Amino acid sequence: MKRTYLMGVAAAALSAGMAHAEQLTIAGPWIGADQDQVEKVLDVFRAQSGIDVSYVGSDSFEQQIVIDAEAGSAPNIAVFPQPGLAADMASRGFLTPLADGTADWIRENYAAGQSWVDLGTYADKDGTDQLFGFFYKVDLKSLVWYIPENFEDAGYEVPQSMEELKALTDQIVADGETPWCIGLGSGGATGWPATDWVEDLMLRTQSPEDYDKWVSNEMPFNDPKVVAAIDEFGWFIEDARVAGGKGAVASTDFRDSPKGLFEAPAQCYMHRQASFIPAFFPEGTEVGSDVDFFYFPSYAEKDLGAPVLGAGTLWAITKDSPEAHKFIEFLESTEAHETWMAQKGFLTPHKGVNPEAFSDPTLRKMNEILLGATTFRFDGSDLMPGGVGAGSFWTGMVDYAGGKDAETVATEIQNSWDALK
């Protein structure tokens, strides 16, 4: 069934590209309700340009786009959930560089603009770095969730720096309470929540350049800077600072881990997790009143700005045409962003959008954090080889939470990386 489907999609894309010069084919990961949302954005482009756009979504996008490209029947535009696959396809000559001036536009109009240019720039088949990817639709990970009523009753205030966050953590312990709820359980993916912690802490203790070197393995995984970031995470999971004690961290499912916030009496006061976590809050919970969030802060004493960890989708040209370039140009418009802002699940680093366009005040508040970023970095484990980023890094964090020391864990992860080379 899958093979038939993939062939059908490829044929549809090819036939669409041949049928009319003023047509544009787009392939991406969104299906169902998510596809309905992107179609509303495409409707705006259709109306403005007169170009007929055909979008095909698939939950097997990563496999499908490679098959289509190798068969010479790629769509004009592909929407990549991760930069790694796009970089690989650029090196094989399957992507077309974006138009001159696009990098300058991103630098000028996106918060932390250079970060987005760097994330969309890859070596082509000749080894020359070029801008291939335009990021549109971003997710945010650097968030701490809390119950405002609990903070108010205890006299706690939202911390503005990492120093204040650690002081608050110790104050809660001194008051006889538990500061954090943390769970790493996720079935076969157990451990991944800790990788987000370590990535966020790398960005708050080391430079963005060091983060990039770590993610590419130019800096070994067992470099003292990385070991220190792992131990920074270890500070938060010491017995007195986490619900259930350190021994419960690895066995607690990440979907259940925030529930302690909502219990009476509260089992914890804070939970660090990405913007998707409200899906696992108790039914009827209102974000903004029942529960709220704040930026996972940076150190005041370090000159590292306000880094943000996240993810997002990048749009790249996989079959060159004037219409494809017109579409990338359309993505630069505020209307392209505000159309999805008026729906759900959309954040943008575009500094020119009207924040009132958000249909959800929670998304508007999250976007303020994104717009305040001085550095944006993609989820590091998603950029590492699968055997590391979705393998030894996950299991290593489980071992660390289980008591193995950071240097040993980091060395074992590096050894697994070396074995893949």
Side-chain angles (χ1 to χ4, degrees):
M1 288 294 289
K2 178 182 288 186
R3 178 63 179 163
T4 301
Y5 174 67
L6 294 177
M7 291 180 67
V9 169
L14 179 61
S15 62
M18 296 173 60
H20 195 285
E22 288 290 300
Q23 289 192 333
L24 182 73
T25 53
I26 300 176
W30 298 302
I31 57 177
D34 291 334
Q35 179 169 342
D36 294 341
Q37 296 191 83
V38 73
E39 288 286 2
K40 291 182 180 177
V41 177
L42 300 182
D43 284 343
V44 176
F45 179 69
R46 292 183 183 103
Q48 290 183 354
S49 66
I51 296 172
D52 183 18
V53 183
S54 173
Y55 171 84
V56 177
S58 170
D59 56 5
S60 300
F61 167 80
E62 289 87 348
Q63 295 79 29
Q64 173 189 318
I65 190 62
V66 173
I67 292 171
D68 285 354
E70 291 176 342
S73 57
N76 297 111
I77 300 278
V79 187
F80 292 88
Q82 297 178 0
L85 178 57
D88 180 62
M89 292 188 65
S91 70
R92 299 178 64 188
F94 289 143
L95 302 188
T96 298
L98 302 185
D100 291 345
T102 305
D104 289 338
W105 184 93
I106 295 171
R107 291 189 189 94
E108 293 172 6
N109 292 280
Y110 270 18
Q114 186 60 48
S115 296
W116 299 105
V117 172
D118 294 342
L119 280 168
T121 299
Y122 319 115
D124 63 16
K125 62 180 180 181
D126 297 322
T128 302
D129 284 346
Q130 303 205 60
L131 179 66
F132 288 102
F134 188 97
F135 276 85
Y136 171 85
K137 191 178 187 301
V138 175
D139 298 314
L140 186 60
K141 296 197 170 196
S142 305
L143 300 175
V144 178
W145 298 85
Y146 72 107
I147 306 294
E149 184 178 358
N150 290 349
F151 263 46
E152 184 177 350
D153 290 347
Y156 302 145
E157 295 185 356
V158 170
Q160 302 301 311
S161 67
M162 184 60 73
E163 290 90 341
E164 290 184 7
L165 179 62
K166 286 190 165 183
L168 174 60
T169 297
D170 284 340
Q171 181 61 54
I172 294 173
V173 173
D175 291 342
E177 304 291 344
T178 304
W180 293 92
C181 279
I182 301 173
L184 309 186
S186 184
T190 292
W192 72 260
T195 68
D196 282 1
W197 270 91
V198 173
E199 289 155 6
D200 245 342
L201 289 166
M202 270 293 288
L203 289 172
R204 282 152 183 77
T205 55
Q206 307 301 331
S207 68
E209 291 75 20
D210 280 338
Y211 181 92
D212 295 339
K213 291 177 181 176
W214 168 53
V215 169
S216 67
N217 206 212
E218 183 178 347
M219 173 189 291
F221 209 108
N222 54 350
D223 186 278
K225 294 177 179 177
V226 183
V227 172
I230 296 173
D231 277 332
E232 279 277 297
F233 167 60
W235 186 89
F236 288 93
I237 61 171
E238 290 184 3
D239 277 338
R241 297 183 176 124
V242 63
K246 185 175 180 178
V249 169
S251 60
T252 301
D253 193 283
F254 84 94
R255 287 155 287 216
D256 295 330
S257 59
K259 293 179 180 175
L261 291 170
F262 302 93
E263 295 181 10
Q267 299 302 301
C268 61
Y269 279 79
M270 293 178 284
H271 179 70
R272 184 217 156 278
Q273 191 48 277
S275 52
F276 68 82
I277 198 62
F280 302 102
F281 289 166
E283 186 175 354
T285 299
E286 292 287 338
V287 176
S289 54
D290 300 328
V291 65
D292 209 345
F293 60 87
F294 59 84
Y295 168 64
F296 187 58
S298 55
Y299 280 97
E301 66 177 15
K302 299 180 184 293
D303 187 23
L304 295 172
V308 165
L309 181 72
T313 52
L314 73 88
W315 302 57
I317 298 175
T318 40
K319 182 179 180 182
D320 198 11
S321 74
E323 291 77 19
H325 288 282
K326 284 182 182 177
F327 185 78
I328 296 296
E329 188 175 328
F330 165 72
L331 292 181
E332 297 176 356
S333 71
T334 56
E335 192 167 6
H337 295 249
E338 291 170 356
T339 299
W340 206 328
M341 288 163 61
Q343 302 179 74
K344 294 181 179 178
F346 185 86
L347 299 175
T348 176
H350 196 317
K351 295 184 291 187
V353 299
N354 178 4
E356 298 302 319
F358 279 109
S359 62
D360 184 339
T362 298
L363 292 176
R364 181 166 63 240
K365 183 178 175 182
M366 288 181 182
N367 213 67
E368 289 173 359
I369 293 174
L370 188 60
L371 293 177
T374 56
T375 299
F376 182 92
R377 283 297 182 270
F378 207 89
D379 184 313
S381 59
D382 284 347
L383 301 176
M384 296 173 183
V388 177
S392 58
F393 195 2
W394 290 353
T395 56
M397 291 299 95
V398 173
D399 291 342
Y400 180 71
K404 192 175 285 188
D405 69 272
E407 186 170 0
T408 299
V409 166
T411 298
E412 290 175 350
I413 297 172
Q414 180 58 46
N415 290 342
S416 76
W417 204 323
D418 290 339
L420 295 172
K421 295 178 180 176

